[in-house]
């Protein structure tokens, strides 16, 4: 048995330039083929968050394309009654390393699913007006997440090169840039990235459950387990660091890359209720990173997945 998680562009590609009837017809083919291969799709809350953040109920053209993608996401992941979702990364981390749930994040995920359901079923102005508060909160969360991602990477490189602003690291000194790249490849950087994610989760648990806030020294052995459990997001984030170090990646213009890193928690050799994971994305950097982490990871692009399902 397999669980498949698909990225934002899969649903955009699947619904692009198609009528509602054509989308439903194609989705029915996909779901039938998945069922024959014992594959069960999971609702991807990160995809939902990204799509919902781009909805503007005053702009019909933009809204139309987003609605089609949201319909495809919901109809593929469930039915009129229910759907099965993959947890947000913070929930995976909280459960895996602190053996605790973050109720606030569970409620957030439920709210995201409910918004997608309502828009998919009744994509009318009245629906958007009713959901305006939650849509605004979701957009704010997306913006804050991207801002925090940009600031964390900018600050990381400012400590190395105080003259940089997160770009143009040692602009005229290639040897120093190469030394930074080599440093990023070390296990120490993996531990630091893992510790940062664990610390953020620890803070959420402290705010909700009064969980003890662990020091970096206390987090280190947990971080060692983290990089074994979730090497894929660590690897992709290190690849971003290396591109920034070589001045080949403008983090301010690519702040939404944080969501690609978050989706890498859904790639790998971990199982969901004993089911292996399949991940579908057309992002070349994600595919390359996932396979370089472990060539046994099951990852397809859009066309490869349809071919795998024998859908022409």
């Amino acid at each position: 048995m397999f669980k498949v998680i698909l990225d934002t562009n899969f649903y955009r590609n699947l619904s692009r330039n198609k009528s509602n009837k054509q989308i439903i017809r194609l989705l029915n083919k996909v779901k039938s083929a998945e069922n024959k291969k014992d594959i069960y799709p999971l609702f991807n809350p990160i995809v939902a968050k990204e799509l919902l953040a781009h909805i503007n109920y005053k702009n019909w053209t933009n809204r139309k394309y987003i609605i089609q993608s949201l319909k495809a996401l919901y109809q593929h992941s469930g039915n009129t009654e229910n759907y099965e979702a993959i947890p947000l990364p913070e929930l995976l981390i909280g459960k895996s390393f602190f053996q605790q749930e973050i109720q606030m994040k569970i409620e957030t995920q439920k709210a995201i699913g409910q918004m997608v359901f309502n828009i998919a079923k009744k994509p009318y102005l009245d629906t958007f007006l009713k959901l305006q508060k939650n849509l605004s909160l979701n957009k704010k969360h997306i913006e804050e997440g991207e801002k925090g991602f940009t600031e964390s990477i900018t600050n990381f490189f400012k400590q190395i090169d105080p003259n940089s602003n997160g770009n143009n690291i040692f602009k005229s000194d290639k040897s120093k840039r190469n030394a930074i790249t080599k440093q990023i490849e070390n296990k120490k950087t993996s531990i630091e990235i893992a510790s940062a994610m664990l610390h953020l989760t620890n803070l959420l648990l402290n705010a909700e459950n009064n969980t003890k806030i662990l020091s970096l020294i206390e987090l280190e052995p947990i971080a060692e387990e983290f990089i074994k459990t979730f090497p894929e997001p660590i690897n992709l984030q290190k690849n971003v660091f290396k591109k920034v170090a070589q001045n080949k990646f403008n983090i301010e213009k690519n702040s939404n890359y944080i969501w690609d890193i978050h989706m890498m928690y859904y790639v790998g050799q971990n199982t969901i209720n004993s089911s292996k994971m399949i991940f579908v994305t057309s992002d070349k950097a994600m595919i390359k990173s996932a396979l370089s982490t472990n060539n046994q990871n099951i990852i397809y692009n859009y066309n490869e997945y349809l071919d795998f399902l024998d859908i022409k």
Side-chain angles (χ1 to χ4, degrees), residues 25-38:
R25 195 178 301 126
L26 179 53
L27 279 172
N28 285 339
K29 283 184 179 179
V30 169
K31 293 180 81 168
S32 176
E34 287 172 336
N35 191 51
K36 288 176 183 176
K37 289 182 177 285
D38 212 15

Side-chain angles (χ1 to χ4, degrees), residues 215-234:
S215 68
L216 288 177
I217 293 173
E218 290 173 308
L219 283 174
E220 191 165 328
I222 307 174
E224 289 274 1
E225 292 304 312
F226 187 108
I227 64 176
K228 295 174 187 174
T229 305
F230 296 120
E232 287 78 15
I234 297 289

